Amino acid sequence: MPVMHAPGLPSRQQILDFIKDSPEPAGKREIARAFGLKGQEKIQLKSLLKDMAEEGLIDGKRTAYHRMGGVPKVTVLRVVDIEDSEAIAVPDTWQPDDATPPPRIRLIEKGSGRRQQPALRKGDRVLARTEESGGNWRAYPMKKIAAREDQVLGVVEIDLAGKAWLAPVDKRIRNAVSIADLGGAENGELVLAEPAGRSPRSGVKVTQVLGEPLAPRAFSLIAIHKHGIPNVFTQETVDEAGRAAQLPLSPDHREDLRHLPIVAIDPADARDHDDAIWAEPDGEGGFHALVAIADVSFYVRPGGDVDREARKRGNSVYFPDRVVPMLPEVLSADVCSLRAGEDRAAMACHLRIDASGRVTEWRFSRALVRIAEVIAYEEAQRRINAAETEELTPSSKQEQPAADAVEISVLQNLWAAWRALATARQNRDPLELELPERRVMLDEAGRIAEIAVRERLDAHRVVEDFMIAANVAAAKALEAKVAPVVYRVHEPPSREKLVTLKDYLATFDRKLALGQVVTPTLFNRILKDIADESERALIMEAVLRSQTQAYYGPQNAGHFGLALASYAHFTSPIRRYADLLVHRALVDAYGLEQPAPKADLPKTSGLSERDRDDLSRVSDAISQAERRAMEAERETIDRYVAAWLSSRVGEVFDTRVTGVQKFGFFATILGLGGDGLVPVSTLGDERFHYDERAQVLVGEESGTRYAQGDRLRLRLAEANPLTGALKFELTEGGSSPVEPRGKPMPLKKHGNHLVGKRGRPGNIRHQGKRKR
C-alpha cells in the first residue's frame, strides 16, 4: 500500500525520496496522489518536475520518473576548485542520496587568451556539455550564466518580532534577506549563508558561523570569504613543504657567493625576504652588481601539492592584520626567506652597469648566499643621510655602527650604482606617478593605532631600480634562448580613455593632442608644467585612471608605464607565481637544473610540459588572482578606515571631492582616505544638473558647483565598518568649495537632463616595487 504524505507541494528531496522508495513506477499521477495535490498544485508539480529533469535530478520521462544515475549531457555546473589552472566543477543542483557524492568534473576551456572570455573562477556557473570516460568526467562550457548568490556573507539581525534577517557585508547589496534557518547562529554574528530554495522568497540558510564581525582580524576574514581566497593549506601540502625544506644545500652544485656583503632592504615589518642586492665599482666608471633572489623553484617543483596550491593562490595577499601566503610558512618565512647570517639558496642575476646606467651584460646562476644584513628602508636611508652629512660637515664624533651592521661603503656602493641606473631611467622617461599609499597600523589588540601615508624614500627607489634591471635581464635572457616567457605586460592607454582624459584636461585649460604617438613622456610633460600641487595631484590621478591594467601573458606587448620593450617579473617568487614560472624557464634555458632530490618530491625544477603547452591559461589565472588580491586588500583597508571613523560620526572633516556623478559626489578625508558619498538628494531642494565632460554638479538656481578636486568641509553622517561605506552630508547652511577647482563650464542641456556615463572612480594606490 503506497505511503501517503502530508498534503501540499513537495520539495525536490521529497520527490526524489518518493521515486526511490516507490515499489512501482512513479509518474506525475502517482506523485500527485501521494501528496494529495489538486488543481493549481498539480500545475505547479508539472513545472517542478520539468525543472528537475532539466537539472538532471530525474530522467524526464513523463510516464514513470526515475532518479538520474549520472550527469545530464547538457547541464549547469558550478566551479568548486581550481587545480593546475583548470576549473573543477560539480552539478549545480545535486541531491542524490547521502552515499553518492557529486562527481568532480574537469572543465575544458577553449580560447583562454586575454582577448577571449576571462578564465573561470571559483563559484562561477556555466552551462556545459558533459562526457564520461572510464569513470572520469569532463565538460565543455557553452556559456557562462549569471551567478546565484550561493554564498552570502553577512551579519545576523533579529528584529523585535523575532524574525531573523541577514545584512550583507557587500555594500552593493542594499537590502537585508530573510533567514529561513539560523543554523545555530545568534544575533550580531558574522555568517555565511546560501539560498534556502529556488525562490528568492525562500530566504537563506546559515551554513557557517564565523563569529564576531567587529573582532580583530574579522575585516580581512570578510574579504577572504567574499573573494574566495584560499587561506588554509591541506596537511598533504604542509607535509610536502616540510620535506622540501629539508633539501640539502651544497656549494658543489652552486656558485658560492657567501663572501659578498649582500644586503636585503625591506619594510621594517616584512616577514619574508625574497630579494637582496650588492654592487661595487668596476674601475671603469661602471659597476658590477648582483640581485640575489630566493631560489623558490628549488623547493617548489611542478606537479607537487605545494605547486598546485601556489598556482591556485597566484600570489600572497597582504592585509593590515595578516598575510595569506602563497607558500606554506616553513618555506615562505623560513628556508626560502633570505635571512641574515644563514646560508640560503638563491637565483643570482649578475649585472654589468656602465657609467651611463645601461645594463650591458647579464648572466644567471644558482648560488649559495649568506645575507650580511637585513635593513629596513628607513634605517638604510638614515645611514646614507648620516654618511653624507658627515662628509659635508666633518666631525670628530663618529657614529658607532652596530656589531652586525655592514660597513657604510656597502650602502654607498649601492647608492652610487643606483644613481647610474637612475640616469638611464631618466633618459628612458617612464611614467612618473608618485601617488600616496595608505598604511594601516594596528595595536596589540588588533585595533587601528594610526592610518598614515607611506613615505617615499630614495631607499625605496634604489631597490626598485635594481629589481627593474633584474626583471628586464630575465626577460631578455629568455628571449635570447627563444624560451617561454611570462611577460609583465602594460599596454598603452586606449583611445577611449585618452578622449576622456582630453575632455577632463580641457576643464583646466590644458590640451592633450591625440594625433601624436602616445608615450609616457607625453604625460610626464603635462604633469611637469603644473605648479599648483593640488591641481597636479588631481591630474596625476586622472592620468592613472587613463592607464590600462597590467597583466601577465606569454605574448610580449612591452611595458608602457616603465617605457620598456621587454619586462618580466623575476624578483618575488615567494609571493608571486609568475616569478616562479620565470625562474623555472631560466633553469631550463640555461641548464641550471640541480641533482634530483632523494626526497619524495618531483625531480625537475624547470617548467612542466603542461606549462609550456598552455602558458596562456596559467597567465590568465594568475592575472585574475592578482586582481582578486588587490580588490580584497583595498576593501579591507576601507573597512578598517570605516571602523576607525565609526566613533566620530557627526564630526566635520576637511575633504576633497574625488568623483562626481549625477546621483551625488564622492569625497575623501584629507590625509586619511576612505571615499564616502554625498547623495544629490541631500544637497537641498535645489535641482542639480550633471555635466559629464567637466565632471561637475551645478545648482540650477544658485550656480553652486561641486567638481572633482574641490575641497569641502563635510560632516560624517555614516560609517559602516562591515561594508567599508562612508556617507557625508553638508554642514548646516550648506557647504561651498573651500578651494574650488577649475573654471565654470557652460552646461549643454538635453531636454531637462545632462546624460553622463555611470561609474565611480576607484581608490588610488601607489604602485611601486611590489606592483610593477
Side-chain angles (χ1 to χ4, degrees):
M1 184 173 179
V3 177
M4 297 304 292
H5 297 264
L9 186 69
S11 68
R12 281 172 166 73
Q13 190 60 50
Q14 287 176 312
I15 292 173
L16 291 173
D17 291 342
F18 177 79
I19 293 172
K20 176 185 176 184
D21 298 334
S22 177
E24 58 187 26
K28 185 179 72 170
R29 181 178 300 174
E30 288 75 22
I31 296 172
R33 184 184 303 122
F35 289 92
L37 305 184
K38 297 179 181 179
Q40 185 66 30
E41 290 177 330
K42 287 186 177 181
I43 298 175
Q44 292 175 329
L45 174 65
K46 180 180 179 181
S47 176
L48 177 57
L49 292 173
K50 181 180 179 182
D51 287 344
M52 292 176 68
E54 291 177 351
E55 294 167 11
L57 298 177
I58 54 178
D59 62 6
K61 296 179 181 178
R62 295 174 182 270
T63 54
Y65 293 102
H66 298 277
R67 222 169 154 162
M68 288 292 287
V71 179
K73 290 290 186 183
V74 177
T75 190
V76 176
L77 302 177
R78 175 167 49 87
V79 178
V80 295
D81 209 348
I82 304 293
E83 294 181 357
D84 290 338
S85 300
E86 287 191 345
I88 305 300
V90 298
D92 189 43
T93 305
W94 182 262
Q95 295 178 326
D97 57 80
D98 294 338
T100 308
R104 288 173 65 84
I105 303 171
R106 187 172 297 276
L107 284 163
I108 310 299
E109 298 179 71
K110 295 182 179 179
S112 61
R114 180 173 179 268
R115 299 304 183 188
Q116 305 294 325
Q117 290 259 351
L120 292 172
R121 300 171 62 177
K122 190 174 179 179
D124 285 346
R125 298 169 68 237
V126 294
L127 182 66
R129 177 171 53 85
T130 65
E131 61 182 42
E132 186 262 349
S133 176
N136 296 318
W137 285 92
R138 58 184 178 182
Y140 301 89
M142 299 166 63
K143 68 175 182 177
K144 188 173 178 180
I145 58 180
R148 284 169 39 192
E149 292 182 350
D150 289 324
Q151 292 289 308
V152 182
L153 192 66
V155 175
V156 175
E157 295 181 352
I158 299 179
D159 62 22
L160 295 176
K163 184 171 179 57
W165 299 87
L166 183 73
V169 300
D170 189 341
K171 55 189 173 186
R172 294 172 297 183
I173 305 175
R174 296 183 178 275
N175 298 321
V177 184
S178 65
I179 300 177
D181 182 358
L182 275 168
E186 297 181 358
N187 187 43
E189 288 190 311
L190 180 68
V191 300
L192 276 171
E194 63 182 24
R198 287 180 63 85
S199 170
R201 296 180 181 178
S202 302
V204 297
K205 58 182 178 181
V206 173
T207 58
Q208 185 178 355
V209 179
L210 301 176
E212 169 58 46
L214 298 181
R217 299 169 64 86
F219 297 139
S220 55
L221 186 64
I222 290 172
I224 288 168
H225 280 280
K226 176 183 174 183
H227 293 278
I229 296 172
N231 69 317
V232 177
F233 291 107
T234 65
Q235 190 58 50
E236 292 79 9
T237 301
V238 173
D239 291 344
E240 182 183 285
R243 294 194 300 273
Q246 299 301 316
L247 289 175
L249 294 178
S250 171
D252 295 340
H253 303 288
R254 290 181 176 272
E255 184 178 10
D256 194 344
L257 301 175
R258 289 177 291 181
H259 62 286
L260 294 178
I262 309 169
V263 297
I265 305 177
D266 265 317
D269 57 354
R271 294 181 59 198
D272 53 72
H273 309 283
D274 45 13
D275 56 74
I277 52 180
W278 167 86
E280 70 175 7
D282 63 2
E284 300 177 7
F287 295 87
H288 295 295
L290 174 75
V291 178
I293 305 299
D295 189 1
V296 176
S297 64
F298 177 67
Y299 297 101
V300 181
R301 293 163 180 262
D305 289 327
V306 177
D307 179 53
R308 282 193 291 271
E309 184 66 25
R311 184 180 302 195
K312 183 192 303 183
R313 297 181 179 217
N315 47 251
S316 298
V317 188
Y318 294 85
F319 298 109
D321 58 358
R322 77 176 81 199
V323 175
V324 179
M326 185 179 79
L327 304 175
E329 189 168 351
V330 68
L331 298 178
S332 63
D334 191 2
V335 297
C336 289
S337 187
L338 302 182
R339 291 180 174 177
E342 300 183 20
D343 290 355
R344 286 292 184 262
M347 186 73 78
C349 174
H350 301 261
L351 302 172
R352 178 71 179 273
I353 304 169
D354 69 14
S356 63
R358 293 184 304 112
V359 177
T360 58
E361 297 176 19
W362 54 78
R363 71 177 178 90
F364 291 86
S365 68
R366 271 183 150 160
L368 191 63
V369 300
R370 184 179 296 159
I371 304 306
E373 186 181 0
V374 174
I375 315 173
Y377 285 115
E378 294 80 6
E379 173 62 14
Q381 190 67 55
R382 186 195 66 78
R383 293 186 196 176
I384 284 292
N385 292 346
E388 291 177 349
T389 301
E390 181 65 26
E391 290 177 4
L392 293 173
T393 56
S395 171
S396 59
K397 186 176 181 180
Q398 299 274 340
E399 177 188 359
Q400 295 298 319
D404 57 350
V406 296
E407 295 182 5
I408 190 61
S409 61
V410 172
L411 295 182
Q412 288 174 322
N413 285 340
L414 287 173
W415 256 250
W418 164 66
R419 290 188 180 98
L421 289 172
T423 299
R425 179 190 182 106
Q426 186 175 3
N427 293 334
R428 200 172 73 240
D429 201 17
L431 191 59
E432 296 291 348
L433 296 177
E434 295 286 346
L435 291 165
E437 178 184 353
R438 285 178 294 169
R439 182 185 180 194
V440 176
M441 290 169 282
L442 308 179
D443 61 20
E444 293 182 357
R447 298 183 297 265
I448 293 179
E450 183 183 359
I451 299 178
V453 175
R454 292 182 187 270
E455 186 181 5
R456 181 80 166 149
L457 304 171
D458 281 348
H460 294 98
R461 298 181 177 93
V462 170
V463 176
E464 182 176 297
D465 280 344
F466 269 87
M467 297 305 113
I468 290 173
N471 288 337
V472 172
K476 290 186 175 180
L478 290 173
E479 289 173 346
K481 292 287 188 176
V482 196
V485 186
V486 177
Y487 291 99
R488 180 63 168 177
V489 180
H490 182 223
E491 296 181 349
S494 67
R495 181 170 180 81
E496 180 184 9
K497 287 190 174 183
L498 288 174
V499 169
T500 301
L501 178 62
K502 176 178 180 291
D503 290 343
Y504 181 66
L505 290 175
T507 66
F508 292 86
D509 281 338
R510 297 187 180 277
K511 296 181 179 180
L512 175 64
L514 299 183
Q516 58 189 307
V517 176
V518 178
T519 64
T521 301
L522 173 64
F523 298 112
N524 290 339
R525 190 182 301 125
I526 292 172
L527 295 170
K528 185 179 180 181
D529 292 339
I530 303 173
D532 182 83
E533 286 300 321
S534 59
E535 180 180 329
R536 189 171 186 272
L538 288 172
I539 294 182
M540 194 178 293
E541 290 179 359
V543 169
L544 180 62
R545 285 196 299 273
S546 74
Q547 304 302 303
T548 60
Q549 188 168 33
Y551 64 93
Y552 295 105
Q555 304 300 322
N556 188 19
H559 197 296
F560 176 83
L562 293 175
L564 292 167
S566 299
Y567 193 64
H569 274 167
F570 160 79
T571 55
S572 296
I574 289 178
R575 53 196 173 77
R576 288 191 307 225
Y577 196 80
D579 304 54
L580 178 55
L581 291 172
V582 170
H583 279 230
R584 289 174 176 170
L586 288 167
V587 168
D588 289 340
Y590 286 88
L592 302 179
E593 187 63 84
Q594 297 279 290
K598 295 181 180 179
D600 182 19
L601 295 167
K603 302 307 178 185
T604 180
S605 59
L607 284 175
S608 67
E609 288 302 317
R610 187 173 186 176
D611 286 342
R612 290 175 175 274
D613 295 340
D614 205 0
L615 212 53
S616 291
R617 184 189 301 276
V618 182
S619 299
D620 284 349
I622 57 182
S623 294
Q624 287 200 22
E626 179 190 43
R627 289 191 284 273
R628 176 183 67 186
M630 292 175 67
E631 290 173 11
E633 291 168 357
R634 182 178 63 246
E635 289 177 6
T636 300
I637 290 179
D638 285 345
R639 288 189 174 96
Y640 268 108
V641 170
W644 200 44
L645 291 171
S646 61
S647 62
R648 304 178 67 181
V649 170
E651 290 187 28
V652 176
F653 293 90
D654 289 323
T655 71
R656 180 166 59 80
V657 177
T658 57
V660 181
Q661 294 295 325
K662 59 184 178 183
F663 52 80
F665 61 85
F666 297 94
T668 187
I669 298 175
L670 293 174
L672 176 64
D675 272 354
L677 175 66
V678 181
V680 70
S681 60
T682 67
L683 299 181
D685 296 332
E686 184 179 10
R687 186 187 183 96
F688 278 80
H689 289 295
Y690 173 59
D691 183 346
E692 179 189 5
R693 177 169 175 255
Q695 297 184 36
V696 296
L697 284 169
V698 183
E700 195 173 63
E701 299 173 7
S702 66
T704 301
R705 302 171 69 256
Y706 297 103
Q708 186 172 343
D710 286 348
R711 292 185 59 174
L712 298 171
R713 297 273 292 168
L714 296 175
R715 176 176 289 103
L716 181 63
E718 294 179 20
N720 188 335
L722 294 176
T723 64
L726 305 177
K727 186 176 288 186
F728 295 109
E729 62 187 9
L730 303 179
T731 57
E732 283 83 356
S735 182
S736 296
V738 178
E739 293 182 6
R741 193 274 302 156
K743 66 175 185 177
M745 293 293 296
L747 297 181
K748 297 181 180 179
K749 290 188 179 181
H750 297 271
N752 293 323
H753 302 281
L754 285 167
V755 181
K757 294 181 182 177
R758 288 185 175 270
R760 165 187 173 183
N763 289 340
I764 306 302
R765 297 186 64 189
H766 169 74
Q767 299 189 10
K769 168 191 168 187
R770 302 302 186 192
K771 298 294 182 184
R772 294 285 191 185

